[in-house]
Amino acid sequence: MKEYTDVEEYFDTMEHIESDVMDKVLDLMKRYDPSAYTAKDVVNAIAKERLDIDDFGALLSPAATPYLEKIAIKAKDETAKHFGNSRCMFTPIYTSNYCENRCVYCGFNKDNDIHRAKLTIEEVDKEMTKIAESGLTEILILTGESRTKSDITYIGDCVKTAAKHFSSIGLEVYPMNSDEYHYLRECGADYVTVFQETYDHQRYSELHLGGPKRVFSYRFNAQERALIGGMRGVAFGALLGLGDFRKDAFACGIHAYFLQRKYPHAEISYSLPRLRPFINNEEDTNQVHEKELLQTALAYRLFMPFAGETISTRECPKFRNNIVTLCATKISAGVCVGIGGRAEEEKGDEQFEISDPRNVEEVRKALVERGLQPVFNDYVRV
Amino acid sequence: MNDKLVIGKHEFNSRFILGSGKFSLEMTNAVIKNGGVEIATLAIRRANKGGEENILDYIPKGITLLPNTSGARNAEEAFRIARLARELGCGDMIKIEIIKDSRYLLPDNCETIKACKLLSDEGFIAMPYMMPDLSAARSMAEAGASAIMPLGAPIGSNKGLLTKEFIKIMVEEIDLPIIVDAGIGCPSQACEAMELGCAAVMANTAIATAKDVPAMATAFKMAIEAGRIAYLAGLGRILDNKAEASSPLTGFLED
């Protein structure tokens, strides 16, 4: 079945794993035709106790848009069934914005003339101390994708530092080999997030002009290598708006589905990023509006009712306040997307603009006002 | 319609697996014929020449034998029984039955997992009879099983699909044929199992204890076929008349 070949060869250092997940996902994505669904398909999908891949496709289709309210009602129920009223809070920390990739939509693009910086471990510790004062116990460590500027040892040291302050540590860094994930797991990391950005590999090659990220399949298999390396959970995301968002959301949804089937112990979570303005690209050419984003989030909830959903500060407070009542289970607060800036002055530029500048207390309050229970600590390291 | 039951390298048109050993051997032929049966189980411990008659003499040619390891109390015994089955010319399919409980005859999942590994490594098409437990089923699949045979209710009880919710989960989660084995008491229950997406149903007592044994085989055949067609057709939705809120959940999009 394998028809896909990478536009660029694997680098010598990149690990190959035996997996049929990518072929399955790309094959189903190719056959997925959002315009083929009818209202009846949507109604049937909503009524099901357990949705199959085709039902998920129906919920993402244009035929589902008139049923958004009905889908929201079901989603709210499902979220309550699996998560009750608890919603996790966390914050990201960007420790470096050096990057070797040339992704046309990204502020960290190697070709962009921005202030580059990397926090020293001492600075990381200061920033984390500051964050920990807010009461948060979950942190997401992010770096630009540079194996030279932020190598595995550096990331490992960031994780070890984080482990002193936080009980749950996520990573959103470059894809790596399973032994490297294993090392970072030993350092204290729990979760790995990798966005495939777009699952349309043609579009992918047009948008990712250089750097290791150009190797589509190495990125695709990152979550699986992370699980092989012993990570507790993995998160998935398509940057909606880069390609046909329905097809990308479909592929992202089933990517997680197939991995969970293969690794049933893995904790699964979806992120919901959509394209926003960033440095050197102020123009908004995005066709994914709040309504489309919500449709995607609700479809993920019905398809994988047990999966986490993270809502980013790319979205405005009003949207975030509402989506956490329906299907999002994890919300960030007190976010800085530049390098540093919490304990000391910002050292390096941001990856994108955020739309929700609220601090931890403000987000916490907003959750409580909606009858939700903010959860700061959802994991105990043993 | 090209809708085959695939178990290991074998393909079948019928999804009715007949358990033998509970009705008189001379009725076997009629039951097989009426039921459209292509697979029939037999207990190796009975197939030996020990008894009065040998069941092997009664099963018509063209029927695939599914020898079981009944009598085995652990993986090692099941393994030896399976080898014996092969020597007797019963083919390469083996239903693993490991039972350490003489009252309810409930299977031992732990030993069954071990047996799956031993037998599949030896080239058998292993079909474990088991308590419907998802973790155990996954371990059996990993150990090389070619189908999973969860029980619906205690064997011989005719109590039906008492484990329905768990069987549903297995159908959804396990990428192998799920065959309900044990407990099915009447055709409607067999039909229901098939509607859930089970790949086949095994029945024995329900037929053996009917007043008219061959006629009951016919009824099972029809029920299993109906359930299969319904599953493939996709069951209709169940109405859920939940009222929509006066202030809609998605209203915030419009503001």
Side-chain angles (χ1 to χ4, degrees):
Chain A
M1 178 165 79
K2 190 163 167 61
E3 291 167 17
Y4 171 74
T5 34
D6 286 305
V7 288
E8 206 159 302
E9 291 287 301
Y10 269 47
F11 292 25
D12 288 343
T13 49
M14 289 177 174
E15 175 191 15
H16 279 275
I17 56 167
E18 279 302 316
S19 178
D20 59 350
V21 174
M22 189 177 86
D23 286 344
K24 278 190 202 162
V25 170
L26 295 186
D27 185 52
L28 284 167
M29 181 193 184
K30 201 165 85 183
R31 285 189 273 149
Y32 174 53
D33 176 7
S35 67
Y37 293 90
T38 63
K40 185 179 163 192
D41 299 325
V42 177
V43 170
N44 282 344
I46 298 170
K48 274 199 184 173
E49 190 182 324
R50 176 179 164 128
L51 282 75
D52 60 27
I53 289 173
D54 202 40
D55 298 317
F56 175 53
L59 292 183
L60 285 170
S61 75
T65 49
Y67 293 92
L68 210 55
E69 179 66 18
K70 283 193 166 24
I71 298 170
I73 292 168
K74 172 90 180 256
K76 196 175 183 204
D77 264 10
E78 291 294 325
T79 308
K81 249 188 249 169
H82 292 268
F83 298 89
N85 72 340
S86 54
R87 299 293 182 272
C88 290
M89 288 178 64
F90 75 102
T91 205
I93 178 170
Y94 285 73
T95 67
S96 166
N97 64 3
Y98 289 95
C99 194
E100 289 161 13
N101 294 319
R102 294 164 56 217
C103 313
V104 299
Y105 52 84
C106 179
F108 286 174
N109 186 333
K110 178 181 182 207
D111 298 339
N112 284 352
D113 182 18
I114 61 166
H115 284 112
R116 303 281 172 178
K118 168 180 149 182
L119 299 180
T120 63
I121 295 303
E122 202 172 53
E123 287 166 332
V124 168
D125 192 43
K126 274 187 191 163
E127 292 278 313
M128 287 181 174
T129 306
K130 187 82 188 160
I131 291 166
E133 282 169 13
S134 67
L136 293 179
T137 65
E138 175 168 351
I139 196 154
L140 176 65
I141 298 171
L142 297 97
T143 65
E145 300 199 0
S146 171
R147 270 188 177 265
T148 49
K149 294 288 185 177
S150 47
D151 59 15
I152 300 290
T153 312
Y154 172 73
I155 296 172
D157 290 344
C158 289
V159 171
K160 286 181 200 162
T161 308
K164 293 192 288 181
H165 301 283
F166 305 98
S167 61
S168 175
I169 301 166
L171 287 174
E172 194 172 331
V173 299
Y174 46 84
M176 56 189 73
N177 296 343
S178 58
D179 58 337
E180 294 168 322
Y181 282 122
H182 182 74
Y183 168 70
L184 296 176
R185 173 80 181 127
E186 302 271 284
C187 293
D190 306 294
Y191 302 99
V192 166
T193 299
V194 179
F195 293 172
Q196 190 63 25
E197 322 293 12
T198 176
Y199 286 81
D200 174 346
H201 58 80
Q202 182 58 38
R203 187 87 183 109
Y204 187 91
S205 64
E206 293 162 12
L207 294 166
H208 303 95
L209 302 176
K213 191 166 173 180
R214 219 167 139 66
V215 187
F216 180 93
S217 67
Y218 184 70
R219 191 172 188 86
F220 189 102
N221 288 324
Q223 283 93 344
E224 187 160 358
R225 292 192 304 273
L227 292 172
I228 293 169
M231 290 291 171
R232 283 173 60 82
V234 283
F236 302 77
L239 183 48
L240 302 175
L242 288 179
D244 177 332
F245 85 92
R246 297 183 198 280
K247 297 196 87 163
D248 271 338
F250 178 77
C252 181
I254 62 175
H255 184 188
Y257 167 82
F258 282 121
L259 267 198
Q260 195 274 336
R261 260 185 107 78
K262 194 166 172 185
Y263 302 89
H265 61 278
E267 287 177 31
I268 298 293
S269 142
Y270 292 107
S271 294
L272 295 153
R274 64 177 169 137
L275 207 51
R276 302 297 282 177
F278 53 89
I279 299 174
N280 299 339
N281 176 28
E282 307 295 336
E283 205 180 323
D284 184 11
T285 52
N286 193 359
Q287 88 283 24
V288 184
H289 302 285
E290 286 187 351
K291 190 175 176 188
E292 287 75 28
L293 186 62
L294 180 64
Q295 183 182 355
T296 304
L298 296 172
Y300 286 155
R301 171 59 59 232
L302 266 55
F303 179 50
M304 297 270 280
F306 55 90
E309 272 188 32
T310 305
I311 187 69
S312 119
T313 47
R314 288 176 177 86
E315 304 306 327
C316 69
K318 185 175 137 201
F319 184 81
R320 299 179 92 214
N321 285 347
N322 280 287
I323 201 169
V324 282
T325 67
L326 300 178
C327 57
T329 57
K330 217 169 192 185
I331 185 164
S332 50
V335 172
C336 293
V337 290
I339 308 306
R342 286 181 175 99
E344 281 164 16
E345 207 173 313
E346 190 170 289
K347 276 176 87 179
D349 283 340
E350 297 90 357
Q351 187 181 22
F352 56 88
E353 286 172 19
I354 66 170
S355 306
D356 184 355
R358 289 176 298 172
N359 65 26
V360 172
E361 181 49 27
E362 287 166 321
V363 172
R364 194 194 68 79
K365 242 180 91 194
L367 292 178
V368 173
E369 276 165 12
R370 278 157 190 81
L372 299 171
Q373 177 188 196
V375 172
F376 279 21
N377 198 2
D378 200 30
Y379 178 52
V380 57
R381 192 172 292 124
V382 287
Chain B
M1 186 169 58
N2 185 23
D3 176 39
K4 306 267 190 200
L5 168 64
V6 181
I7 302 172
K9 59 182 193 290
H10 302 290
E11 283 189 358
F12 304 93
N13 291 306
S14 163
R15 292 173 182 273
F16 178 13
I17 300 177
L18 182 70
S20 67
K22 281 188 171 164
F23 48 86
S24 307
L25 293 178
E26 62 268 19
M27 230 180 262
T28 306
N29 208 3
V31 171
I32 284 175
K33 195 165 150 269
N34 287 11
V37 169
E38 294 177 358
I39 305 172
T41 70
L42 78 155
I44 290 301
R45 56 178 173 162
R46 298 249 185 110
N48 260 331
K49 294 283 182 187
E52 273 199 346
E53 293 178 295
N54 188 347
I55 184 172
L56 285 171
D57 300 333
Y58 285 86
I59 293 179
K61 296 244 174 321
I63 296 296
T64 300
L65 294 174
L66 177 56
N68 68 43
T69 65
S70 72
R73 289 194 161 73
N74 56 46
E76 198 48 49
E77 287 177 13
F79 184 63
R80 289 205 291 269
I81 294 172
R83 281 183 152 177
L84 192 59
R86 186 144 69 185
E87 277 165 32
L88 287 170
C90 294
D92 55 1
M93 287 167 66
I94 187 89
K95 184 185 152 200
I96 303 173
E97 262 188 60
I98 300 177
I99 291 168
K100 290 196 284 201
D101 160 62
S102 56
R103 178 184 288 261
Y104 298 105
L105 303 175
L106 294 174
D108 179 328
N109 280 354
C110 292
E111 286 297 318
T112 304
I113 294 166
K114 288 186 214 158
C116 286
K117 174 87 179 113
L118 287 174
L119 290 167
S120 63
D121 283 355
E122 183 82 3
F124 283 99
I125 294 172
M127 300 170 65
Y129 168 57
M130 53 102 64
M131 273 303 274
D133 172 89
L134 183 59
S135 278
R138 282 185 174 134
S139 299
M140 289 171 196
E142 214 167 287
S146 297
I148 305 286
M149 305 182 74
L151 58 86
I155 196 162
S157 69
N158 281 357
K159 288 187 175 176
L161 282 178
L162 296 183
T163 59
K164 180 176 165 183
E165 285 302 317
F166 303 99
I167 287 178
K168 246 164 92 176
I169 290 171
M170 313 233 317
V171 168
E172 288 159 352
E173 295 297 331
I174 305 288
D175 292 323
L176 287 175
I178 304 296
I179 300 169
V180 177
D181 178 359
I184 297 279
C186 57
S188 61
Q189 292 160 356
C191 184
E192 189 179 13
M194 296 306 294
E195 285 172 359
L196 295 179
C198 291
V201 162
M202 196 188 124
N204 184 3
T205 313
I207 293 151
T209 56
K211 212 182 279 171
D212 182 339
V213 172
M216 188 54 83
T218 307
F220 263 86
K221 172 182 190 281
M222 295 169 82
I224 289 168
E225 285 174 359
R228 179 64 186 176
I229 293 167
Y231 170 71
L232 294 177
L235 294 176
R237 84 210 188 292
I238 297 165
L239 254 191
D240 179 12
N241 284 323
K242 208 167 267 175
E244 290 187 20
S246 52
S247 56
L249 297 177
T250 54
F252 70 95
L253 291 173
E254 316 298 328
D255 304 343

